[in-house]
Amino acid sequence: MQVSTSHEKWSSRLTFIMAAVGSSVGLGNVWKFPYEAGVSGGGAFVLIYIACILVVGLPILIAELTLGKQGQMSPPNTMRTLAQREGRSSLWQSVGWLGVLAAFMILSFYSVIGGWALAYVPKFISGDLITTNPDVVTTEFNTLLASPVQMLAWHGLFMVLTIFVVARGIHAGIEKAVDILMPALFFILLALVIYAAIAGDFGRAWSFLFAADFSKITPDVVLNALGQAFFSISVGLGAMMTYGAYLPKDVKIPRAATIIVFADTMVALLAGLAIFPIVFANGLDPASGPGLVFVTLPLAFAGVPLGGFFGTMFFVLIVFAAITSSISLLEPVVSWAEEHKGVKRSLSAIVAGFLIWLLGLLSVFSFNLWGDVHLLEMFERFETATLFDLMDFTTSNIFLPLGGMAMVIFASWIMSRETTETDLGLSPALYKSWLFLARFVAPIALLMIFAYNIFG
Ligand code: PFF
């Protein structure tokens, strides 16, 4: 097979960091983190989450970016090249393939939820959603879910936007998009937090998020936090490996990774500080689950002054965050195709994007036509799981932890110490800490999530 390695490189360290922060900051931060924290009792979850990010997430992110920077290709080809270099089996490239498969599957449902957020922008602008009547908001959301045509259209639009950015390449596409979207996202988020502090019950939200009640810490909370940390910083499938492949040699990964992880955590916490003050001020339930952002929040915005405007901004924020992540899910696939002679980036982005959109039909129909299809109903745990639930479960709970474990093991046990030591450029003490976390702590933690998800 003809393989070419000449990918574009990031224009600067800053654009790389913006793109990587863009990948990690997404629906995971602004939709999932607040509701997970909400249902898991707030502060206890937040504390464990931060610990997981530092002890497990950061070492894996460093490992994944290092693999990419060393291999300089798409995940399957990076893993194959590095395994060859270390004299190991070419089977290691299956880690890259697993990543590509996971990226396909995650993007197929990620884009459906991104589509909901897109749909909410005009709904807010038109005023349809600005009501304090819970029945109206619930019906509005349920009507969207019940309509395959509407959902398909919004999911399609979301995919078109993603394809458009990726097709234009690293400089003209991804960098341009993150240059505009990331600062915008930051300012909108800040404005929303300030607004929530003025219009909402900030004190209660603060203590809900930061006062840890240790009695609430159960194995479930720990494992949820670990899984969420993993998804939130985009590790385990090769998105970061692909972004790492476009790094110039002189960028030091540990610093960049620390900035990425810090920014990701800040955004998750700020999203909590934007949502919960308004939820509490309206006496609504912080533990409403996945509907927190799509049902509870519109009600909450309707109850505060200028809620329509800020509500619209909130959904624009979600869309921006989701797009800078979805492009990083399409990029590994396109980058792989680009390495094979004759496949133009724009063509592969369109073809892959279309196939992903098609796969997304499974998720779309899970909310309506196939709502009663429960493929694994013979297992108690999956009795009511739809195809959407199964795809989410398989990717987030099995493929990502498995991929992350393979990557961190490869970087810390198989790659030569000289390579990682020189490449990371850490002080001896910090290098040893990374090695310890990467060799022992991260794989054990991942094994735990993995075992729990399968047998728990
Ligand atoms: N980190 C993204 C989020 O929090 O929404 C989701 C994601 C993007 C996961 C890219 C994995 C990935 F490779």
Side-chain angles (χ1 to χ4, degrees):
M1 210 178 328
Q2 191 100 31
V3 172
S4 110
T5 60
S6 53
H7 289 292
E8 289 175 80
K9 293 268 179 264
W10 300 112
S11 314
S12 67
R13 197 178 81 106
L14 183 67
T15 42
F16 158 68
I17 289 181
M18 287 224 281
V21 170
S23 166
S24 60
V25 169
L27 295 170
N29 305 59
V30 287
W31 169 63
K32 211 162 177 207
F33 176 83
Y35 91 67
E36 289 261 7
V39 292
S40 302
F45 176 87
V46 173
L47 199 73
I48 307 267
Y49 175 82
I50 294 176
C52 293
I53 287 272
L54 290 178
V55 176
V56 185
L58 184 58
I60 300 184
L61 179 59
I62 293 177
E64 184 171 336
L65 287 170
T66 304
L67 295 179
K69 188 179 163 204
Q70 286 286 326
Q72 293 191 23
M73 280 186 275
S74 66
N77 288 329
T78 282
M79 289 310 295
R80 192 179 38 78
T81 316
L82 295 180
Q84 260 166 11
R85 197 195 287 171
E86 303 295 338
R88 297 303 167 117
S89 155
S90 59
L91 275 180
W92 276 100
Q93 72 173 305
S94 50
V95 177
W97 285 118
L98 183 75
V100 170
L101 179 67
F104 244 82
M105 290 170 66
I106 293 183
L107 186 49
S108 80
F109 63 78
Y110 200 84
S111 151
V112 171
I113 300 172
W116 296 350
L118 266 178
Y120 264 52
V121 175
K123 281 186 197 294
F124 257 97
I125 294 177
S126 69
D128 284 359
L129 270 174
I130 309 173
T131 163
T132 43
N133 181 346
D135 294 340
V136 176
V137 181
T138 312
T139 312
E140 197 61 57
F141 186 50
N142 288 342
T143 314
L144 174 65
L145 298 194
S147 160
V149 177
Q150 272 196 50
M151 277 233 275
L152 275 181
W154 289 112
H155 158 55
L157 179 62
F158 187 89
M159 273 318 293
V160 167
L161 294 172
T162 306
I163 293 169
F164 178 75
V165 175
V166 173
R168 292 171 57 92
I170 310 299
H171 294 145
I174 300 183
E175 286 190 353
K176 264 228 172 83
V178 296
D179 277 352
I180 300 167
L181 298 181
M182 292 314 287
L185 189 150
F186 181 74
F187 284 115
I188 297 176
L189 186 58
L190 221 58
L192 284 167
V193 174
I194 294 171
Y195 167 73
I198 298 168
D201 189 343
F202 201 72
R204 239 185 106 190
W206 184 272
S207 48
F208 178 70
L209 282 171
F210 299 113
D213 171 358
F214 288 95
S215 68
K216 295 232 169 85
I217 299 180
T218 61
D220 251 17
V221 171
V222 176
L223 288 158
N224 271 346
L226 198 54
Q228 169 64 14
F230 213 66
F231 183 79
S232 188
I233 56 170
S234 300
V235 286
L237 70 71
M240 288 297 186
M241 195 189 284
T242 311
Y243 277 11
Y246 307 153
L247 272 175
K249 284 266 173 259
D250 56 333
V251 172
K252 290 282 173 255
I253 283 173
R255 252 189 74 188
T258 312
I259 297 174
I260 296 166
V261 159
F262 177 77
D264 186 69
T265 310
M266 283 307 287
V267 172
L269 294 175
L270 288 173
L273 287 177
I275 294 175
F276 290 119
I278 307 197
V279 169
F280 284 129
N282 285 278
L284 295 167
D285 179 15
S288 59
L292 178 68
V293 159
F294 291 102
V295 179
T296 312
L297 200 62
L299 286 173
F301 273 122
V304 281
L306 293 177
F309 173 74
F310 283 100
T312 311
M313 289 321 279
F314 187 85
F315 285 94
V316 170
L317 168 90
I318 300 193
V319 170
F320 285 1
I323 285 185
T324 54
S325 298
S326 64
I327 53 184
S328 77
L329 286 161
L330 186 55
E331 183 59 27
V333 185
V334 169
S335 150
W336 173 81
E338 203 183 26
E339 282 157 10
H340 296 269
K341 249 195 162 151
V343 187
K344 263 179 70 180
R345 169 175 274 273
S346 47
L347 180 67
S348 56
I350 293 171
V351 172
F354 177 69
L355 294 175
I356 291 169
W357 179 82
L358 272 185
L359 187 62
L361 301 197
L362 298 183
S363 296
V364 167
F365 295 154
S366 297
F367 293 95
N368 36 67
L369 306 179
W370 296 346
D372 293 326
V373 175
H374 307 303
L375 275 191
L376 298 184
E377 62 191 344
M378 56 286 216
F379 302 102
E380 201 191 324
R381 175 154 183 212
F382 297 113
E383 224 169 80
T384 56
T386 58
L387 294 172
F388 168 84
D389 296 327
L390 291 180
M391 285 221 283
D392 181 16
F393 179 87
T394 321
T395 47
S396 312
N397 299 2
I398 301 178
F399 289 2
L400 292 193
L402 201 63
M405 183 144 70
M407 288 175 199
V408 81
I409 287 176
F410 192 94
S412 64
W413 287 100
I414 293 184
M415 241 154 84
S416 74
R417 267 183 84 143
E418 298 77 70
T419 313
T420 48
E421 209 161 359
T422 345
D423 198 19
L424 293 181
L426 290 167
S427 69
L430 279 178
Y431 178 73
K432 280 208 176 104
S433 317
W434 172 75
L435 204 59
F436 175 74
L437 293 173
R439 281 190 160 177
F440 302 104
V441 179
I444 291 172
L446 287 170
L447 211 61
M448 270 167 44
I449 319 191
F450 200 53
Y452 174 82
N453 281 326
I454 294 184
F455 309 108

